[in-house]
Amino acid sequence: MFVSPLYDLEEKIGANFGEFAGWQMPMSFSGYIEEHMAVRTGVAYFNLSHMGRLRIKGDLKELETLIAKEISSAKSGEMIGPTAFLNDKGGFLDDVMAYKISSNECLIVTNAINREKIIKWIISNSSLDVEDLTFKYIMIAIQGRKIEDILGKIELKPLEFRINTKFLNYEVFLVSRSGWTGENGLEIWATVEVGKQLVSDLLKLGIKPAGLIARDSLRQEMGFVLYGEDIDENTTPIEARYWVFSLNKDFIGKEAIIEQLKNGISKIRIGFKMKKGERIIPRHSSKIFSIGNEVGYVTSSIYSPYLNRVIGMGYINPKYFFLGYNLSVDIRGKHYDIKIDEFPFI
C-alpha cells in the first residue's frame, strides 16, 4: 500500500487515515460535516496525492485517438476535461483531466485506481512516451467560496494552468484552476518538501484540512461521478449522462457511443434525494423500485450537510426516468421514498 507523502504532517494535525484505491490517505480531520461546510462557507484544502499524474510526450495526434475530447483545438495552458479513455464498447477505462502544454506534450490526471491501467493502455496503443510523475510531486487542492478573501484574486481563468511557476512565494511545478466541489478553487503540484511547507502556511492562514469523505459528499452535491462506484468499464458516457466526448473526431469507443445515440440505452444515471429527517443511507447496489417493480440500483449515496438530507445517484430503466417522480429504495428489507432530481443538487 502506498502512503500519503504528507503522512507525518497530517498525523500531527489529527488526520484519521484509511485505505482508498491502494493508498493510506486522510479520510477526515475534524469530521467530514465540518470540513464539507468549510468549503461551502469558507475554504479548505485537500491532499490528492494519490491521484495518478502522467506526462505524455510525442505526437498528440496519437493521443487524440485514445481520449474522447479534442486536444488539438485547445491552446497551450488549457485543461481539457473532464474527458475519458474508453474501451471499444464505449465503457470507461477512466475519466481524466488533460493539460495541454504544447503540441507534443500533455499532462493527464487519472483516478488512483486506474493509474497503472492507463499507463499500459497508452503504451500499448501508441508510440507516445509516458512518464509517471505521481511519486515525484504532491498534489493538493484548495477549494472554497472564500478562497480569494484569503489568497487574493485568482489570476487564472477556469480550466487554465501554469507550469514551473510560483504559488505563495514557493516554486511549484503546476498551478491549475478547476475542482469538483462547485466552489472556486486551485490545484497545486509541488515537490514533497515544498508541499509540506506550503501546507503549513495554508494552516497558518486558517485554511482547514479536509479529507476524502468530505470530497465525496461535495462531489455528490454536484452530481459528479466516482470511478468504481458510479462508472466503470461496463458503463458508457451516454448511460452516465457524462458528456466527456466530442463526435467531431475519431477515438476508441466512438462507434459504440453513436450506436447508443441511435438506438437508445437500457439504463440511465439519475440523482435522487431522500426526505428531510431520513438519515439512513442506501448502499451501493441497493435496489430501486417503482410501485413494487424493480427498475434499477443505487451506485453511491451520502448525507449532505449543506442540504441536510441524504442524496445519491444510481441507474434505472430509462422508461421510469421522470424528473420529480418518487421511486423507492430497499434498505435492509424496508422501502424508503426517493425523489428523482436533476444534478447539481445545490
Side-chain angles (χ1 to χ4, degrees):
M1 183 181 295
F2 301 115
V3 177
S4 163
L6 302 176
Y7 185 95
D8 292 345
L9 175 59
E10 290 165 336
E11 187 178 40
K12 288 180 182 177
I13 58 175
N16 297 302
F17 291 94
E19 190 274 335
F20 180 78
W23 284 75
Q24 188 81 355
M25 294 295 293
M27 296 291 111
S28 65
F29 292 84
S30 57
Y32 95 87
I33 291 178
E34 182 178 327
E35 293 160 19
H36 180 114
M37 293 306 294
V39 173
R40 290 282 178 249
T41 62
V43 62
Y45 78 88
F46 300 79
N47 176 6
L48 303 180
S49 300
H50 62 300
M51 299 190 76
R53 277 146 288 148
L54 312 177
R55 192 203 310 257
I56 314 296
K57 288 186 176 181
D59 187 348
L60 294 189
K61 290 179 181 177
E62 289 193 73
L63 189 60
E64 285 276 16
T65 66
L66 304 182
I67 209 164
K69 269 188 180 175
E70 282 189 283
I71 299 171
S72 58
S73 60
K75 298 176 183 178
S76 297
E78 286 185 354
M79 300 171 69
I80 304 107
T83 184
F85 291 91
L86 305 176
N87 59 30
D88 57 3
K89 294 181 180 179
F92 285 94
L93 294 170
D94 199 16
D95 62 323
V96 301
M97 291 295 292
Y99 303 63
K100 186 175 180 180
I101 295 175
S102 68
S103 60
N104 59 9
E105 187 173 355
C106 188
L107 301 170
I108 299 284
V109 173
T110 75
N111 285 289
I113 196 171
N114 293 324
R115 176 178 57 87
E116 293 182 355
K117 177 174 69 174
I118 294 303
I119 291 173
K120 291 176 182 177
W121 180 256
I122 295 171
I123 291 173
S124 63
N125 287 282
S126 74
S127 62
L128 295 164
D129 178 69
V130 182
E131 181 184 2
D132 190 353
L133 302 178
T134 307
F135 303 98
K136 185 174 182 179
Y137 301 112
I138 61 99
M139 178 179 176
I140 62 170
I142 308 168
Q143 296 276 306
R145 202 160 291 184
K146 294 185 177 180
I147 185 172
E148 292 189 324
D149 292 349
I150 296 176
L151 297 181
K153 182 175 174 58
I154 297 174
E155 300 298 331
L156 292 173
K157 295 178 183 177
L159 297 184
E160 278 190 345
F161 72 94
R162 293 177 186 153
I163 60 169
N164 299 319
T165 186
K166 281 196 171 186
F167 180 75
L168 294 184
N169 294 319
Y170 292 104
E171 297 286 343
V172 299
F173 175 69
L174 179 144
V175 178
S176 60
R177 185 178 182 182
S178 62
W180 65 95
T181 65
E183 305 297 343
N184 210 348
L186 295 169
E187 302 81 43
I188 297 96
W189 304 14
T191 62
V192 175
E193 191 57 41
V194 168
K196 289 179 179 179
Q197 297 171 20
L198 180 56
V199 167
S200 295
D201 282 2
L202 295 178
L203 292 168
K204 291 174 185 176
L205 289 171
I207 297 176
K208 291 182 176 293
L212 296 185
I213 299 175
R215 182 173 182 249
D216 190 48
S217 59
L218 289 158
R219 67 96 185 170
Q220 285 270 7
E221 288 181 347
M222 296 305 298
F224 296 151
V225 296
L226 176 64
Y227 193 92
E229 291 285 316
D230 309 303
I231 58 171
D232 54 30
E233 293 191 26
N234 297 310
T235 306
T236 72
I238 307 302
E239 294 163 340
R241 297 195 296 140
Y242 192 15
W243 312 118
V244 294
F245 58 88
S246 170
L247 295 180
N248 296 326
K249 63 163 199 165
D250 291 327
F251 57 90
I252 295 173
K254 179 180 177 179
E255 290 182 4
I257 286 177
I258 290 175
E259 184 72 18
Q260 288 191 334
L261 289 170
K262 283 182 178 179
N263 299 314
I265 51 180
S266 60
K267 65 178 182 180
I268 191 166
R269 185 170 66 102
I270 65 163
F272 65 82
K273 294 177 179 177
M274 296 183 71
K275 292 179 179 178
K276 283 195 173 182
E278 203 76 77
R279 294 295 291 265
I280 191 165
I281 297 175
R283 298 304 178 189
H284 183 80
S285 298
S286 294
K287 295 177 180 179
I288 296 174
F289 293 83
S290 177
I291 315 179
N293 182 32
E294 185 180 337
V295 298
Y297 55 91
V298 173
T299 54
S300 62
S301 183
I302 200 165
Y303 172 74
S304 161
Y306 191 77
L307 296 172
N308 191 28
R309 69 198 309 164
V310 174
I311 60 174
M313 63 184 75
Y315 289 83
I316 63 171
N317 186 315
K319 292 190 298 185
Y320 301 91
F321 186 21
F322 308 119
L323 282 176
Y325 177 58
N326 275 5
L327 300 171
S328 66
V329 61
D330 185 331
I331 306 175
R332 295 193 290 274
K334 184 178 178 181
H335 281 224
Y336 296 83
D337 286 343
I338 58 173
K339 183 178 181 179
I340 301 177
D341 206 346
E342 189 55 288
F343 306 117
F345 293 133
I346 63 169

mmCIF file of all heavy atoms in Angstrom, residues 136-155:
data_model
loop_
_atom_site.group_PDB
_atom_site.id
_atom_site.type_symbol
_atom_site.label_atom_id
_atom_site.label_comp_id
_atom_site.label_asym_id
_atom_site.label_seq_id
_atom_site.Cartn_x
_atom_site.Cartn_y
_atom_site.Cartn_z
ATOM 1 N N LYS A 136 6.650 11.864 -7.763
ATOM 2 C CA LYS A 136 7.619 12.962 -7.806
ATOM 3 C C LYS A 136 7.075 14.207 -7.130
ATOM 4 O O LYS A 136 7.822 14.992 -6.541
ATOM 5 C CB LYS A 136 7.992 13.255 -9.253
ATOM 6 C CG LYS A 136 9.085 14.302 -9.420
ATOM 7 C CD LYS A 136 9.506 14.440 -10.883
ATOM 8 C CE LYS A 136 10.633 15.444 -11.034
ATOM 9 N NZ LYS A 136 11.080 15.575 -12.450
ATOM 10 N N TYR A 137 5.744 14.402 -7.218
ATOM 11 C CA TYR A 137 5.113 15.603 -6.684
ATOM 12 C C TYR A 137 3.933 15.249 -5.782
ATOM 13 O O TYR A 137 3.293 14.223 -5.961
ATOM 14 C CB TYR A 137 4.582 16.481 -7.823
ATOM 15 C CG TYR A 137 5.615 16.941 -8.805
ATOM 16 C CD1 TYR A 137 5.611 16.474 -10.120
ATOM 17 C CD2 TYR A 137 6.608 17.848 -8.435
ATOM 18 C CE1 TYR A 137 6.553 16.903 -11.034
ATOM 19 C CE2 TYR A 137 7.569 18.278 -9.343
ATOM 20 C CZ TYR A 137 7.537 17.794 -10.651
ATOM 21 O OH TYR A 137 8.480 18.222 -11.550
ATOM 22 N N ILE A 138 3.671 16.138 -4.828
ATOM 23 C CA ILE A 138 2.395 16.063 -4.109
ATOM 24 C C ILE A 138 1.371 16.848 -4.926
ATOM 25 O O ILE A 138 1.728 17.671 -5.775
ATOM 26 C CB ILE A 138 2.494 16.636 -2.671
ATOM 27 C CG1 ILE A 138 2.886 18.121 -2.692
ATOM 28 C CG2 ILE A 138 3.462 15.827 -1.837
ATOM 29 C CD1 ILE A 138 1.764 19.085 -2.546
ATOM 30 N N MET A 139 0.114 16.586 -4.656
ATOM 31 C CA MET A 139 -0.952 17.359 -5.297
ATOM 32 C C MET A 139 -1.959 17.740 -4.228
ATOM 33 O O MET A 139 -2.476 16.873 -3.523
ATOM 34 C CB MET A 139 -1.636 16.548 -6.399
ATOM 35 C CG MET A 139 -2.789 17.265 -7.089
ATOM 36 S SD MET A 139 -3.507 16.220 -8.396
ATOM 37 C CE MET A 139 -4.868 17.234 -8.945
ATOM 38 N N ILE A 140 -2.198 19.024 -4.074
ATOM 39 C CA ILE A 140 -3.223 19.477 -3.143
ATOM 40 C C ILE A 140 -4.212 20.365 -3.893
ATOM 41 O O ILE A 140 -3.874 20.968 -4.918
ATOM 42 C CB ILE A 140 -2.646 20.242 -1.929
ATOM 43 C CG1 ILE A 140 -1.921 21.509 -2.373
ATOM 44 C CG2 ILE A 140 -1.739 19.348 -1.099
ATOM 45 C CD1 ILE A 140 -1.546 22.411 -1.221
ATOM 46 N N ALA A 141 -5.435 20.389 -3.399
ATOM 47 C CA ALA A 141 -6.467 21.254 -3.965
ATOM 48 C C ALA A 141 -6.983 22.166 -2.867
ATOM 49 O O ALA A 141 -7.245 21.718 -1.749
ATOM 50 C CB ALA A 141 -7.609 20.424 -4.541
ATOM 51 N N ILE A 142 -7.101 23.441 -3.184
ATOM 52 C CA ILE A 142 -7.670 24.423 -2.265
ATOM 53 C C ILE A 142 -9.020 24.824 -2.841
ATOM 54 O O ILE A 142 -9.100 25.315 -3.971
ATOM 55 C CB ILE A 142 -6.750 25.651 -2.119
ATOM 56 C CG1 ILE A 142 -5.326 25.215 -1.772
ATOM 57 C CG2 ILE A 142 -7.293 26.600 -1.056
ATOM 58 C CD1 ILE A 142 -4.295 26.324 -1.883
ATOM 59 N N GLN A 143 -10.081 24.592 -2.081
ATOM 60 C CA GLN A 143 -11.424 24.799 -2.595
ATOM 61 C C GLN A 143 -12.269 25.575 -1.576
ATOM 62 O O GLN A 143 -12.180 25.309 -0.383
ATOM 63 C CB GLN A 143 -12.098 23.447 -2.848
ATOM 64 C CG GLN A 143 -11.418 22.601 -3.919
ATOM 65 C CD GLN A 143 -11.866 22.974 -5.312
ATOM 66 O OE1 GLN A 143 -13.061 22.988 -5.606
ATOM 67 N NE2 GLN A 143 -10.919 23.285 -6.184
ATOM 68 N N GLY A 144 -13.080 26.492 -2.080
ATOM 69 C CA GLY A 144 -13.976 27.161 -1.143
ATOM 70 C C GLY A 144 -14.491 28.491 -1.639
ATOM 71 O O GLY A 144 -13.857 29.181 -2.447
ATOM 72 N N ARG A 145 -15.634 28.864 -1.126
ATOM 73 C CA ARG A 145 -16.335 30.076 -1.533
ATOM 74 C C ARG A 145 -15.534 31.335 -1.231
ATOM 75 O O ARG A 145 -15.664 32.345 -1.909
ATOM 76 C CB ARG A 145 -17.694 30.104 -0.829
ATOM 77 C CG ARG A 145 -18.742 30.939 -1.476
ATOM 78 C CD ARG A 145 -20.119 30.537 -1.018
ATOM 79 N NE ARG A 145 -20.518 29.224 -1.508
ATOM 80 C CZ ARG A 145 -21.708 28.679 -1.300
ATOM 81 N NH1 ARG A 145 -22.610 29.330 -0.604
ATOM 82 N NH2 ARG A 145 -21.993 27.481 -1.783
ATOM 83 N N LYS A 146 -14.678 31.269 -0.200
ATOM 84 C CA LYS A 146 -13.959 32.479 0.220
ATOM 85 C C LYS A 146 -12.464 32.390 -0.055
ATOM 86 O O LYS A 146 -11.662 33.060 0.596
ATOM 87 C CB LYS A 146 -14.209 32.739 1.707
ATOM 88 C CG LYS A 146 -15.664 33.080 2.018
ATOM 89 C CD LYS A 146 -15.858 33.461 3.475
ATOM 90 C CE LYS A 146 -17.311 33.862 3.754
ATOM 91 N NZ LYS A 146 -17.516 34.227 5.172
ATOM 92 N N ILE A 147 -12.078 31.594 -1.041
ATOM 93 C CA ILE A 147 -10.655 31.404 -1.315
ATOM 94 C C ILE A 147 -9.964 32.721 -1.664
ATOM 95 O O ILE A 147 -8.844 32.980 -1.219
ATOM 96 C CB ILE A 147 -10.439 30.352 -2.437
ATOM 97 C CG1 ILE A 147 -8.940 30.072 -2.628
ATOM 98 C CG2 ILE A 147 -11.090 30.755 -3.734
ATOM 99 C CD1 ILE A 147 -8.652 28.927 -3.571
ATOM 100 N N GLU A 148 -10.641 33.580 -2.421
ATOM 101 C CA GLU A 148 -9.997 34.830 -2.809
ATOM 102 C C GLU A 148 -9.925 35.826 -1.652
ATOM 103 O O GLU A 148 -9.081 36.728 -1.666
ATOM 104 C CB GLU A 148 -10.719 35.442 -4.012
ATOM 105 C CG GLU A 148 -10.546 34.616 -5.282
ATOM 106 C CD GLU A 148 -11.067 35.323 -6.522
ATOM 107 O OE1 GLU A 148 -12.090 36.037 -6.434
ATOM 108 O OE2 GLU A 148 -10.422 35.169 -7.579
ATOM 109 N N ASP A 149 -10.772 35.653 -0.640
ATOM 110 C CA ASP A 149 -10.676 36.500 0.551
ATOM 111 C C ASP A 149 -9.380 36.236 1.298
ATOM 112 O O ASP A 149 -8.833 37.132 1.953
ATOM 113 C CB ASP A 149 -11.862 36.235 1.491
ATOM 114 C CG ASP A 149 -13.192 36.691 0.910
ATOM 115 O OD1 ASP A 149 -13.170 37.403 -0.118
ATOM 116 O OD2 ASP A 149 -14.240 36.333 1.474
ATOM 117 N N ILE A 150 -8.894 35.001 1.198
ATOM 118 C CA ILE A 150 -7.684 34.620 1.933
ATOM 119 C C ILE A 150 -6.440 34.688 1.061
ATOM 120 O O ILE A 150 -5.397 35.194 1.489
ATOM 121 C CB ILE A 150 -7.844 33.200 2.522
ATOM 122 C CG1 ILE A 150 -8.987 33.193 3.550
ATOM 123 C CG2 ILE A 150 -6.550 32.715 3.155
ATOM 124 C CD1 ILE A 150 -9.300 31.828 4.120
ATOM 125 N N LEU A 151 -6.540 34.197 -0.170
ATOM 126 C CA LEU A 151 -5.361 34.099 -1.035
ATOM 127 C C LEU A 151 -5.261 35.222 -2.061
ATOM 128 O O LEU A 151 -4.275 35.311 -2.787
ATOM 129 C CB LEU A 151 -5.356 32.748 -1.757
ATOM 130 C CG LEU A 151 -5.253 31.511 -0.866
ATOM 131 C CD1 LEU A 151 -5.246 30.247 -1.723
ATOM 132 C CD2 LEU A 151 -4.004 31.561 0.001
ATOM 133 N N GLY A 152 -6.274 36.072 -2.131
ATOM 134 C CA GLY A 152 -6.262 37.132 -3.130
ATOM 135 C C GLY A 152 -6.873 36.671 -4.443
ATOM 136 O O GLY A 152 -7.232 35.506 -4.622
ATOM 137 N N LYS A 153 -6.981 37.587 -5.371
ATOM 138 C CA LYS A 153 -7.616 37.308 -6.657
ATOM 139 C C LYS A 153 -6.870 36.215 -7.404
ATOM 140 O O LYS A 153 -5.641 36.239 -7.509
ATOM 141 C CB LYS A 153 -7.676 38.572 -7.505
ATOM 142 C CG LYS A 153 -8.372 38.389 -8.847
ATOM 143 C CD LYS A 153 -8.500 39.694 -9.593
ATOM 144 C CE LYS A 153 -9.061 39.499 -10.990
ATOM 145 N NZ LYS A 153 -10.376 38.841 -10.975
ATOM 146 N N ILE A 154 -7.623 35.266 -7.949
ATOM 147 C CA ILE A 154 -7.036 34.199 -8.760
ATOM 148 C C ILE A 154 -6.888 34.709 -10.178
ATOM 149 O O ILE A 154 -7.865 35.082 -10.831
ATOM 150 C CB ILE A 154 -7.921 32.937 -8.722
ATOM 151 C CG1 ILE A 154 -7.988 32.387 -7.293
ATOM 152 C CG2 ILE A 154 -7.379 31.881 -9.674
ATOM 153 C CD1 ILE A 154 -8.944 31.225 -7.133
ATOM 154 N N GLU A 155 -5.661 34.726 -10.673
ATOM 155 C CA GLU A 155 -5.405 35.269 -11.998
ATOM 156 C C GLU A 155 -5.782 34.294 -13.106
ATOM 157 O O GLU A 155 -6.086 34.702 -14.229
ATOM 158 C CB GLU A 155 -3.919 35.662 -12.129
ATOM 159 C CG GLU A 155 -3.466 36.706 -11.118
ATOM 160 C CD GLU A 155 -4.215 38.031 -11.259
ATOM 161 O OE1 GLU A 155 -4.647 38.358 -12.391
ATOM 162 O OE2 GLU A 155 -4.382 38.733 -10.247
#
